[in-house]
Amino acid sequence: MPPPHMGPPPPPPGPDGGPGEVHGPAYLMKPQHVLSDGSATIRGQVIPYQAESGTLIVHPDGWDDANPDPKAPQAVASIFYVAYFKKGAHPENRPITFIYNGGPGSSTVWLHMGALGPKRVVTSDDVHTPAAPYKLVDNDDSLLDSTDLVFIDAPGTGFGRVIGKDRDKAFYGTDPDAAAFTDFIAQFLARHGRYNSPKYLFGESYGTTRSAIVANALASEKGIDLNGVILLSQILNYGNSIDRAQNNPSNDQPYVLGLPSFAATAWYHHKLPDQPADLKTFLAEVEHFALTDYTSALQDGTGISDEKLKATAEKLHRYTGLPVDYLIKADLRVNGGEFAKTLLGEEGQDTGRLDSRFSGPSLDPLAQRPAYDPQSAAMESAYVAAFNDYARKTLHYGADPSFGDGYMEYRVSAHSIGKWSFTHKQPDQRGAARGEPNVLPDLAMAMKTNPSLQVMLNQGYYDLGTPYFEGVYEMRHLPIPRALAKNVEIRQYASGHMVYAHLPALKEMHDNVSQFIARTHPKSS
């Protein structure tokens, strides 16, 4: 349980030894926390909890409080979090799960208010959610019935801030970001007496990239073994991304791994020339074609025969609904944006990238790829409005008079992706870090050094951002002994990147994750 302290810590004494005040940036760089009470009803079970909203202070990787390196970035981050602790639970029996979205540079408002927290904002299933007022309801699918929850906002997002010289270099990169989260988690466990609790990571999207590194770093640098790593909408090897596959000619793997998600999307929108009745049976056929005949055709490159080119294009048309002439013109290689632009193009619509069940009016019908994501546009306002009200009215955070005029902005994004350094140094890699991260070795190292570590992958069929077959392929190619493959569990849902946007899928995911947590930690007597 959290320490019995209400409100933010007292300000440091003033110059005369009397009480002092902390304002603005100085306030942000002091750890804060505010406590509140609530209860959640999950699957008919009433769970009383204490919520803690606050910040922890994190320094750049390599910072030593006794002997700071003058060559290291001189910056500091206050990382905002909201934690929910079940009342009356014993820490050694009660799992704790650290949760974050991706971006990179995204807050965790999405998982917090849409999936796992005690309250959930109501949004439309596959169309644009109407403007305010929005409805906040008790979340029957919160994971609080199975684990305490710690929602962590990335540096520069939420109510946290990054300040100081070289702040972008210090926190906006694959390895600096992972170091910040590793530091945060170790701090949190120590400050809250949770070192002996069963421990889990739950990351979405880029958060899965982060989780692979953090899982290994916690063990190798902090001596903290995890019970489980829960991945949602995975990307561990950026070389597999379908977004800009054309920028890496000679690597045809993204097209192979993206094809089943194209097929699922065309099936959903009834754009297939012969609409199959069952999605899963259809996708199994597409996956087989992708790994066999389609791979063979792509590997031929410009040496492909006219007959094979035409036959492959016709098969792709059957599986994607895209015109045969278009597929031949594309040399059988269509990236995610091109597919999203073309599938419903004759109707003046673009499909969603993160959830291709969604569609919206094309901003430029002549463009090669969509200029926006209809799924993001359909839901963001609801999440932002709901959390801003919830934070201030229920959690009592974000309006402290110590901060300037009492208003603190909740930042959904750090807008850091343009500044992000994607270089990553793999475990035991000699020399400089390399670009376009591949963190499969990191997760594999965590699994090999802790053979009891369990990994769970959750995916949506209608995800064009991180296609589900990409995640399957990566899990099958973890550099681990075959005996450890049994430690990997894969679950798929009739939804998109944010699986929880589809309520039936959220219910399935809750049950699957709850069961995963229940069976992956020993029960203390």
Side-chain angles (χ1 to χ4, degrees), residues 45-64:
Q45 177 187 3
V46 178
I47 300 173
Y49 63 80
Q50 185 175 73
E52 178 180 313
S53 311
T55 57
L56 287 181
I57 307 306
V58 173
H59 295 86
D61 190 26
W63 186 82
D64 184 341

Side-chain angles (χ1 to χ4, degrees), residues 85-98:
F85 304 97
K86 180 181 178 181
K87 289 185 175 180
H90 297 287
E92 65 273 15
N93 297 327
R94 179 69 172 165
I96 187 168
T97 302
F98 296 93

